Amino acid sequence: MSAAIDFYFDFSSPYGYFAAERIDELAAKYGRDVEWHPILLGAVFKSTGGVPLTEAPMKGKYSLHDFERSARFHDIPYNRPPAFPLPTQVAARAMLWLQSKYGADQSIKFAKLIYQGMFVHGINIAEPLNVLDIARKNGFDTEGMAEGVNTLSIKNQLKAEIDLAMAKGVFGSPFVIVDGESFWGFDRFDQIEAMLKSGKI
Amino acid sequence: MSAAIDFYFDFSSPYGYFAAERIDELAAKYGRDVEWHPILLGAVFKSTGGVPLTEAPMKGKYSLHDFERSARFHDIPYNRPPAFPLPTQVAARAMLWLQSKYGADQSIKFAKLIYQGMFVHGINIAEPLNVLDIARKNGFDTEGMAEGVNTLSIKNQLKAEIDLAMAKGVFGSPFVIVDGESFWGFDRFDQIEAMLKSGKI
């Protein structure tokens, strides 16, 4: 099997959610694994001067409409979250904690549930109790998670993961790196597939 | 025939160029005309606080690579311009002047030549003499144009066209409006086609 694909995303990013709904299937089609990397766009934007799409003048209203339209186009369930964008450090830390304690597969299963919680079921995932509630309802180790997300080691790991992502050129969500080639945006999944298929860019 | 599609673009926008190479063919496939509207992103960014992609931290290097990769993916001739981005008011005014004097078809033919001059042949289209040179080599009324681009009426028309575009929500390039539905980016041409085909969004 070839090298894994690196997938970077913020849990508050609608296009990141769309990517999360598709990337494993896409990668598997070409015999690839995916390494999921939760990041915090807030931390990235501090370096790049970026702003959330929905807060950019004129782009904001357009973007809210585009999220819904793109979801329909790609046949992905989507309901505009009541609160958006949100801080997502607790969800990101919970995912990293699961990864370290129970492995990548469990953490990816959880990440998809968090995204669906936010972008389908209208759950405010900035609220730690809501993150734990999603974990509880789906049979994850909620007690361990409640403690894990508050440990210094997980907090530091998330910071280091974001620094590492930025060092690799990651500046948005979703961001995918395939064999050293970077792709920003769910819009580039057609080009990612072409590269996976042909081995060329 | 249904209403024309509105196509907004800046002559310095690579994704605008890609769109310019495809939009007439796409529209014609569904029995639509296209109204071409040159705008100046610089003027738009003054209102929105936007910056050219290539000047945004981290995004800049990525974007230069993405222009080339996307051109290959869509099979569109592309050579990275030596100077980029550029002020494009002379090219935009020349197009508007042609439109008023010789009609839409001539002005669209000219717009495509300007875009190809910039993104295939490495011509600095910020330089008025280069814009006129492209006109001359392709049989346009160069003398009329030289005078036309400097008239107050054409300068004012361009300003008014940009204000009108912004009033319609245009904030980037390319930007396409189909029956009141707005699409930002060459990435949305798949959704535009789906809408033209089905009449639904």
Side-chain angles (χ1 to χ4, degrees):
Chain A
M1 184 175 270
S2 306
I5 292 169
D6 287 301
F7 168 45
Y8 301 86
F9 57 94
D10 183 306
F11 279 114
S12 189
S13 157
Y15 301 124
Y17 159 62
F18 300 160
E21 289 284 308
R22 292 287 184 264
I23 195 159
D24 284 335
E25 193 185 352
L26 174 63
K29 196 170 157 188
Y30 299 96
R32 299 286 192 113
D33 281 335
V34 181
E35 287 185 10
W36 288 47
H37 305 276
I39 60 168
L40 304 179
L41 280 184
V44 174
F45 289 166
K46 269 186 197 162
S47 288
T48 63
V51 291
L53 265 178
T54 49
E55 291 171 17
M58 298 180 78
K59 283 187 193 176
K61 200 181 153 202
Y62 172 85
S63 298
L64 289 172
H65 181 59
D66 188 66
F67 301 153
E68 294 182 8
R69 190 173 62 193
S70 292
R72 277 197 303 276
F73 182 74
H74 293 286
D75 201 20
I76 295 171
Y78 174 87
N79 293 300
R80 181 168 154 191
F84 174 81
L86 292 173
T88 55
Q89 64 268 31
V90 173
R93 283 192 226 137
M95 185 186 176
L96 291 182
W97 176 80
L98 271 176
Q99 201 173 51
S100 66
K101 183 91 178 175
Y102 294 96
D105 287 357
Q106 285 295 303
S107 75
I108 291 169
K109 186 183 158 203
F110 176 75
K112 289 178 183 174
L113 291 164
I114 289 289
Y115 255 143
Q116 289 158 5
M118 167 118 187
F119 290 108
V120 182
H121 307 299
I123 297 167
N124 181 332
I125 61 158
E127 181 55 61
L129 288 178
N130 291 342
V131 172
L132 293 174
D133 197 48
I134 290 172
R136 184 179 299 112
K137 283 179 178 152
N138 291 281
F140 293 95
D141 170 3
T142 314
E143 274 184 43
M145 183 181 286
E147 200 185 308
V149 294
N150 285 316
T151 59
L152 193 61
S153 63
I154 286 292
K155 289 179 182 179
N156 285 340
Q157 189 192 332
L158 179 57
K159 281 181 200 157
E161 297 273 6
I162 295 168
D163 285 344
L164 179 59
M166 287 174 64
K168 290 183 178 177
V170 174
F171 57 80
S173 168
F175 202 99
V176 175
I177 304 182
V178 185
D179 304 340
E181 188 74 9
S182 297
F183 298 90
W184 173 41
F186 186 52
D187 304 319
R188 289 294 173 272
F189 269 45
D190 51 358
Q191 295 193 28
I192 292 172
E193 174 147 25
M195 178 181 171
L196 289 171
K197 200 170 184 174
S198 70
K200 288 181 292 193
I201 54 144
Chain B
M1 183 176 267
S2 307
I5 292 169
D6 286 302
F7 169 44
Y8 301 87
F9 58 93
D10 183 305
F11 279 114
S12 189
S13 158
Y15 302 124
Y17 159 61
F18 300 160
E21 289 284 308
R22 292 287 185 267
I23 196 157
D24 283 336
E25 193 185 353
L26 174 63
K29 196 170 157 189
Y30 299 96
R32 298 288 192 113
D33 281 334
V34 181
E35 287 185 10
W36 289 47
H37 305 276
I39 59 166
L40 303 179
L41 280 185
V44 175
F45 289 166
K46 267 186 198 162
S47 289
T48 63
V51 292
L53 265 178
T54 51
E55 290 171 17
M58 298 180 78
K59 282 188 194 176
K61 199 181 154 203
Y62 172 85
S63 297
L64 289 172
H65 180 60
D66 189 65
F67 300 154
E68 295 181 8
R69 190 172 62 193
S70 293
R72 278 197 301 277
F73 181 74
H74 292 285
D75 202 20
I76 295 170
Y78 174 86
N79 294 301
R80 181 169 153 187
F84 174 81
L86 293 173
T88 55
Q89 64 268 29
V90 174
R93 283 191 227 137
M95 184 182 176
L96 290 183
W97 176 81
L98 271 175
Q99 203 174 52
S100 66
K101 183 91 179 173
Y102 294 96
D105 287 357
Q106 285 296 303
S107 75
I108 291 169
K109 187 184 158 200
F110 176 75
K112 289 178 182 174
L113 291 164
I114 289 289
Y115 255 144
Q116 289 158 5
M118 167 117 187
F119 290 109
V120 181
H121 308 299
I123 297 167
N124 183 332
I125 61 157
E127 181 55 62
L129 288 177
N130 291 341
V131 171
L132 293 175
D133 198 48
I134 290 171
R136 184 178 298 110
K137 283 180 178 151
N138 292 281
F140 292 95
D141 170 5
T142 314
E143 273 183 44
M145 184 182 285
E147 200 184 308
V149 296
N150 285 316
T151 59
L152 193 61
S153 64
I154 286 293
K155 289 178 183 179
N156 285 342
Q157 190 192 334
L158 179 56
K159 280 179 201 158
E161 297 272 7
I162 295 168
D163 286 344
L164 179 59
M166 287 174 62
K168 290 182 178 179
V170 175
F171 56 79
S173 168
F175 202 99
V176 176
I177 304 181
V178 186
D179 304 340
E181 188 73 11
S182 298
F183 298 91
W184 172 41
F186 186 52
D187 305 319
R188 288 293 173 276
F189 270 44
D190 51 359
Q191 294 192 30
I192 292 172
E193 173 147 25
M195 180 181 170
L196 289 171
K197 199 170 185 174
S198 70
K200 287 181 292 191
I201 54 143

